[in-house]
Every structure is written in structure tokens, then in C-alpha cells.
């Protein structure tokens, strides 16, 4: 599971240099992160929707950050999945005047209408990494109504880049087709 993978990654990176024979863990984490990255669709849509997908995105982005900083392997570069997550979130969010802490997104599958993880933490990383104003705008929109989980606060502090203005598009098409998962949002 992604939780086990995230725990292995965190433990391996924390122990590296302190405990012998940790390098195989780190090679395992790096290779699995590379395989997962190659397997993800380009449209930013998690097959698990917003709730379970948020758990995945949170762990995935943290793992890529570890792999980039500590192993020197940049899996953010050219990552269409990450670059398009803000578009999926934008088309999945309720109108601002209808948003509340636990009712902010469309329910897909067996999910919920609120976030279980994030989205502030990983959207801040996406905003910082790709200079993405939309990701920053979505966080601002969610924070205004308390719709981002408290769990994302620590990483938001680490990854927030105040030089990136928060911008939501003024004119959007009425629908967007997310072709990889074949979802149309209107």
C-alpha cells in the first residue's frame, strides 16, 4: 500500500548515514517512485478520486521530494500528472459560496465531499516547483473556507512560496474532458 511505501521511504531516508545497509531501501524507494511516476496518467486525475487520491498525492509528493533532495533523482521534471492535478481540483471543487470545511469537492466513487489529506501541502509543492499560480489559487480558495486539512500544515510551511501569486482563471470552458480516466467535469 502507499502508506507502507511512505513509511519505508521516511524511515530509510531518516536512517541513511546512521545505520548500515540502508542503501538498498533507498534504491527500492527510488525505483518504485520511478515506476509509479511512469504509470500515472497525464491528466492529473487519481483513479481513486479526491479522498483516496489525496492520500496518494500527499504521500507521492513527499516521496518525490525525498528522492529529489536526498538521492538527486528528479521525478518532478516532466511530470504531467503533477502539473495537471490543479486542473482536476479546479473542475472538482464546489462553487466558493457553497464550500465548507467538510463539503468542498464533488464526490467521485466511494469518496467524500471533503478532503482527507491536503490539498494545501502538495498543491503548495506543485505551485513552487512549477511556478503554478492555479495551484496556489486553489489553496487560497480552500483555506478561505477552512477546507484544507490540518495535516497539510507542516508541509505547507516547508513548501509555500509566497513569490507565486494565487490566480484562478476568470474564464473557464463549461466542461473539461480528463482523457486518461475518461471523466468529464462540467
Amino acid at each position: 500500500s502507499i502508506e507502507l511505501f511512505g513509511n519505508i521511504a521516511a524511515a530509510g531516508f531518516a536512517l541513511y548515514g546512521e545505520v548500515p545497509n540502508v542503501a538498498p531501501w533507498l534504491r527500492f524507494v527510488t525505483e518504485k517512485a520511478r515506476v509509479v511516476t511512469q504509470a500515472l496518467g497525464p491528466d492529473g486525475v487519481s483513479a481513486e478520486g479526491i479522498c483516496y487520491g489525496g492520500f496518494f498525492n500527499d504521500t507521492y509528493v513527499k516521496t518525490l521530494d525525498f528522492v529529489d533532495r536526498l538521492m538527486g533523482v528528479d521525478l518532478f521534471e516532466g511530470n504531467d500528472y503533477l502539473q495537471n492535478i490543479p486542473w482536476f481540483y479546479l473542475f472538482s471543487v464546489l462553487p466558493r459560496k457553497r464550500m465548507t470545511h467538510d463539503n468542498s469537492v464533488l464526490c467521485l466513487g466511494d469518496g467524500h465531499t471533503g478532503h482527507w489529506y491536503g490539498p494545501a501541502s502538495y498543491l503548495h509543492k506543485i505551485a513552487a516547483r512549477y511556478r503554478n499560480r492555479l495551484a496556489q489559487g486553489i489553496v487560497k480558495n480552500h483555506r478561505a473556507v477552512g477546507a484544507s486539512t490540518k495535516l497539510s500544515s507542516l508541509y505547507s510551511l516547508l513548501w509555500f512560496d509566497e513569490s507565486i501569486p494565487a490566480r484562478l482563471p476568470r474564464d473557464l470552458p463549461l466542461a473539461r474532458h480528463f482523457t486518461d480516466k475518461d471523466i468529464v467535469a462540467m
Side-chain angles (χ1 to χ4, degrees), residues 125-135 161-165:
K125 181 65 174 182
I126 289 167
R129 178 58 197 234
Y130 303 111
R131 309 288 308 158
N132 189 310
R133 296 173 177 189
L134 176 58
D161 182 345
E162 66 184 33
S163 73
I164 301 165

Side-chain angles (χ1 to χ4, degrees), residues 67-86:
V67 167
D68 185 27
R69 289 175 188 256
L70 302 174
M71 298 297 288
V73 177
D74 185 359
L75 298 174
F76 288 102
E77 181 69 31
N79 191 321
D80 291 336
Y81 173 80
L82 288 179
Q83 292 182 60
N84 285 307
I85 285 175

Side-chain angles (χ1 to χ4, degrees), residues 15-119:
L15 295 173
Y16 186 69
E18 304 292 325
V19 175
N21 302 318
V22 176
W25 289 14
L26 302 184
R27 283 193 301 275
F28 168 80
V29 168
T30 302
E31 185 53 32
K32 292 304 175 191
R34 188 185 322 273
V35 169
V36 167
T37 299
Q38 291 171 348
L40 291 170
D43 59 11
V45 177
S46 170
E48 298 178 304
I50 297 289
C51 295
Y52 291 106
F55 179 53
F56 168 80
N57 290 331
D58 186 66
T59 303
Y60 176 62
V61 170
K62 287 175 187 173
T63 301
L64 293 192
D65 189 60
F66 282 143
V67 167
D68 185 27
R69 289 175 188 256
L70 302 174
M71 298 297 288
V73 177
D74 185 359
L75 298 174
F76 288 102
E77 181 69 31
N79 191 321
D80 291 336
Y81 173 80
L82 288 179
Q83 292 182 60
N84 285 307
I85 285 175
W87 286 105
F88 178 59
Y89 277 68
L90 181 65
F91 277 89
S92 299
V93 73
L94 297 177
R96 173 99 176 253
K97 63 183 176 183
R98 300 280 185 227
M99 290 175 71
T100 64
H101 168 70
D102 61 350
N103 189 38
S104 58
V105 294
L106 301 172
C107 182
L108 298 173
D110 67 345
H112 177 63
T113 58
H115 293 280
W116 292 345
Y117 291 86

Side-chain angles (χ1 to χ4, degrees), residues 141-153:
N141 196 38
H142 276 68
R143 286 243 165 103
V145 296
S148 189
T149 65
K150 300 281 188 221
L151 295 173
S152 61
S153 298

